[in-house]
Amino acid sequence: MPDLRANIAGIRSPNPFWLASAPPANSGEQIMRAFDAGWGGAVWKTLGQPIQNVSSRFGAIHHRGARGIGFNNIELITDRPLETNFREIYEVKKRYPEHAVVVSLMVETREEWQDIIKRSIDAGADGLELNFGCPHGMCERGMGSAVGQEPRVNERITSWAVDYSSVPVLVKLTPNVGDIVPHGRAAQRGGAHGVSLINTIKSIIGVDIDRFVPEPRVGGASSNGGYCGAAVRPIALHMTAALARDHEFGIPISGIGGITNWRDAVEFMLLGASTVQVCTEVMLRGYRIVEDMIEGLDEYMSEHGFATLADFVGKAIPAYSEWGDLDLNYETVAKIDAGKCIGCQLCVVACQDGAHQCIHPTGEGRVPVIDEGECVGCNLCQIVCPVPDCISMVQVDNGFQPATWNDHVATGAALRPKKGAH
Amino acid sequence: MSSVAQTSVARARSENAFSDFKPAYNEAQAMAEANRCLYCSDAPCITACPTGIDIPEFIRKISTGNLKGSARTIFEANILGMSCARVCPVETLCVGDCVYNQLGIPPIQIGKLQRYSTDRAYAKGWQFFQAGADSGKRVALVGAGPASLACAHLLRRRGHHCTLFEKREVVGGLNTTGVAPYKMKADRAADEVEWLLAIGGIEVRTGVELGRDLSVADLERDYDAVFVGFGLGPDGWLHAAGEDLEGVHGAVDYIERLKLGQVDLRDAQRALVLGGGNTAVDAVRELRGLGVADVRMVYRGDEAHMSGYAHEWAAAKVESITGVWRTVPTGFVGQGGKVAGVTALRADENKRPIPGTEHTLPADLVLLAIGQGKLGALLAEVDGVTVSRGRLVVDDQQHLGRPGWFAGGDCANGGKEVVNATAEGQHAARTIDAWLNDNHSLRGGQHA
Ligand SMILES: Cc1cc2nc3c(=O)[nH]c(=O)nc-3n(C[C@H](O)[C@H](O)[C@H](O)COP(=O)(O)OP(=O)(O)OC[C@H]3O[C@@H](n4cnc5c(N)ncnc54)[C@H](O)[C@@H]3O)c2cc1C
Ligand SMILES: Cc1cc2nc3c(=O)[nH]c(=O)nc-3n(C[C@H](O)[C@H](O)[C@H](O)COP(=O)(O)O)c2cc1C
Ligand code: SF4
């Protein structure tokens, strides 16, 4: 039986699955239900000076029949009295001593930070998460992403928090920056014990084209919001990996952004996340999704012979390299399994209009043919093909030794002739 | 007494002529269907399943690639989930209650997804359950059909030793001998029995019949508790003239013959099946599938009032089977000892025969599917046991009136489905476990 217990920066939980700071972690009653369902930890909905929210608050992207693949919100931090939150944190910790309860915080002045950190720890917080990420509303007030986008401010506030705190401090980073690395390093310099990423991405989810108002609509207007859900996962994965492989950055990462199931979680962990947090999928499907996450992770670890999370956290990092270090002589071509092809010819149109014009209808039957001499091995046809395992990308032996662009520039290593470049 | 479970069936069986009416999903089909599931909360499909399988959860697990977990979710609620996936009348159970029906969108094919998941679990040899620590208690189970098998498996998980007494040479009850071969064949039912018995510590004695080879006193002497799951009795008969002619058979009996061995239908041109229930509908489809050209179902009432499922009858009609409605059989006519037809009266809208409407329906094969007998009489003399119209009366915890005696499945519910027998068997196991853990036992007369 693999051991699913997690430990990030000294914060322990029975498994690596945490609720992210957001509506699913808004109250003690909710968090206790989540723990009962199997969640290993929760980051409490961000505490600070309680705010007043707008109505409505959320919007979503529905695409080709799939609902909510991307999600956005214009809600702010907690709107509940701080005393209520602290009382509930105390209750939860008392009843669930083994679970991780991390309290997310966002205030302005040094005194406020000192005060709210003390009260959080008194209530029983296992750790703190500094919300330097919210990209709407709070940043207009000089908090959230306004802090996270400015490494010096980030470092300064982090160092205050670390000074005042007797429990581990995670800094939650905003993805609304050109390069995440300086921001992760700033948190580390400030003394943070770990980082969480990503918070939401600045966005406008859509426009009501008859009322001429962006969404979500608050009366006759809207505002930019924070984008999250399955669609943001690639951005979050990249930022996680960028920090995990940075040679200066050396503190643990709690991965967030578009995680919907155990597979998504494993991807984050392979790219360096020690724990993961989930918001949108819980909002869309409920706490119950964790049963499959635990079981799926357990099975994945068993199959691969991983005894503990540490056995695979970061395992894909060495394979994340610079473009210039990729082997230019590695060559693949697409192959169609005629027995599986259903004749939709989506690959034909994709290759003709979107790639290198090397898939052709034969005129006989509907199974297309690939001109392998012209195929550049781009994957587009495989991506559009609706039939599993019908199109595969097969390696071709072209007789060339591996050679990267950097090798080529440095030593003149021989490159195979270009394909599809007429 | 033979003491080895016979979990294999003959190779040459007439039923082999059938292919699946609902073919198995391949991976692409299963994924497409699983991804369509809304993952409803407090889903109506769960409530519609007598064993309460968490259907949205097992389907979500298929979609995430957690196949093992999906099968576990199914088997935790229903240890016969593999056969139920094939034989359940899902149209009237889970699938019938899928919320998509309300949108006019095809409902999720829960049975097919359940089959996909459980078939893979079998193929991979996944076993999810282990016998509990030995309790030292012994439970006898009468009959080795779905009710007893489900009961025994759960009792075994709780550490009790189980012995099944089965009068037939094959195990599995009607799952092996009765269900239509286009849903499941006998060898697949045997696979299930084998998979289930792999938990160990469940002994099966075939060829042992309660009332003939075994008495109530024997059971009370040797076991701590008894579960009765002996199902229904043999086919009912009209008791009319000519019933003993060659070519007149009970439908359940005939179905058993075509499922376990071979029937000779070379001379059958015109078959009549008497009845309007599910056995009748199965029988007509089976005869048609085995090549009988003209197959008709003769029923006292209207098409709209037949008790067989509408979806099954609709499929029968597609197979060019016809119904003879408002017709009451009265006897059989023969030629040279062989049946040549059924005499009948027409009926009014209340199924009452109309005098003076005698006529003869020609036939060279007649199956009677007018209901099965009940076996309650076997226990009618036993103190405390109440039998009502042949059915064993149980309370909502599956207790028979006599301490230490429990029952479930067709013998107690009067004849429902495999999934009901499974649910009742599992429910009884929980009751029996609690009773035994209270230090009760039949042995030594320590009655509660
Ligand atoms: C033709 C037919 C088709 C059916 N098709 C379906 C279907 O498609 N789907 C569905 O869900 N349900 C179907 N059913 C109903 C289903 O088979 C039953 O509801 C279910 O099998 C009941 O399980 P059970 O364990 O109570 O009884 P059974 O399956 O009847 O098992 C009882 C067992 O007890 C044994 N037994 C009987 N008397 C004694 C005795 N005195 N001593 C020892 N052993 C004894 C019998 O040999 C038998 O093996 C069908 C029934 C019939 C008749
Ligand atoms: C409605 C909503 C409210 C949120 N509120 C907070 C918050 O108070 N504090 C915070 O740190 N992040 C907040 N987030 C961001 C999430 O914690 C998370 O970082 C982000 O949604 C990405 O994860 P996901 O794709 O799993 O949703 C909120 C997100 C949503 C959708
Ligand atoms: S989800 Fe609940 S709070 Fe939100 S709009 Fe619907 S009913 Fe209201």
Side-chain angles (χ1 to χ4, degrees), chain B residues 142-207:
Chain B
V142 185
S148 291
L149 287 167
C151 184
H153 191 270
L154 189 49
L155 285 169
R156 203 52 208 130
R157 286 174 65 191
R158 309 277 167 100
H160 311 302
H161 187 277
C162 296
T163 306
L164 280 82
F165 295 100
E166 168 56 55
K167 75 173 182 189
R168 286 183 161 74
E169 288 304 328
V170 291
V171 182
L174 285 166
N175 239 354
T176 307
T177 65
V179 301
Y182 42 83
K183 296 181 193 167
M184 181 171 70
K185 298 191 181 68
D187 55 347
R188 195 58 181 156
D191 289 346
E192 180 167 70
V193 173
E194 214 164 277
W195 180 84
L196 199 135
L197 294 181
I199 193 168
I202 301 177
E203 187 186 352
V204 185
R205 303 219 189 132
T206 52

Side-chain angles (χ1 to χ4, degrees), chain B residues 230-292:
Chain B
F230 53 40
L232 298 178
D235 294 289
W237 291 85
L238 284 177
H239 303 295
E243 217 158 32
D244 52 354
L245 286 163
E246 193 184 320
V248 181
H249 307 269
V252 176
D253 180 49
Y254 199 79
I255 290 169
E256 177 167 353
R257 284 158 60 184
L258 71 86
K259 284 187 64 68
L260 297 184
Q262 285 172 301
V263 292
D264 185 356
L265 286 166
R266 272 171 301 185
D267 295 332
Q269 309 294 330
R270 274 190 293 205
L272 293 177
V273 174
L274 312 186
N278 284 314
T279 297
V281 179
D282 280 8
V284 286
R285 294 183 69 188
E286 287 161 35
L287 293 178
R288 184 80 192 91
L290 290 174
V292 180

Side-chain angles (χ1 to χ4, degrees), chain B residues 48-68:
Chain B
C49 172
T51 57
I53 295 175
D54 190 341
I55 294 161
E57 191 62 41
F58 97 69
I59 295 179
R60 180 174 175 96
K61 289 176 180 177
I62 292 177
S63 75
T64 71
N66 175 15
L67 260 183
K68 198 176 198 173

Side-chain angles (χ1 to χ4, degrees), chain A residues 55-58:
Chain A
S55 168
S56 54
R57 306 173 193 177
F58 306 150

Side-chain angles (χ1 to χ4, degrees), chain A residues 260-263 281 285-286 288-293 295-296 299 386-389, chain B residues 27-28 38-42 56-57 60-61 64-66 68-70 72-73 126:
Chain A
T260 68
N261 59 38
W262 65 270
R263 277 173 187 277
E281 187 67 358
R285 292 293 183 270
R288 58 195 168 139
I289 62 168
V290 79
E291 176 180 322
D292 169 60
M293 297 179 79
E295 218 170 36
E299 185 60 18
V387 182
D389 306 324
Chain B
E27 187 184 350
L38 296 173
Y39 196 49
C40 296
S41 168
D42 190 16
E57 191 62 41
R60 180 174 175 96
K61 289 176 180 177
T64 71
N66 175 15
K68 198 176 198 173
S70 105
R72 182 184 292 120
T73 298
W126 291 330

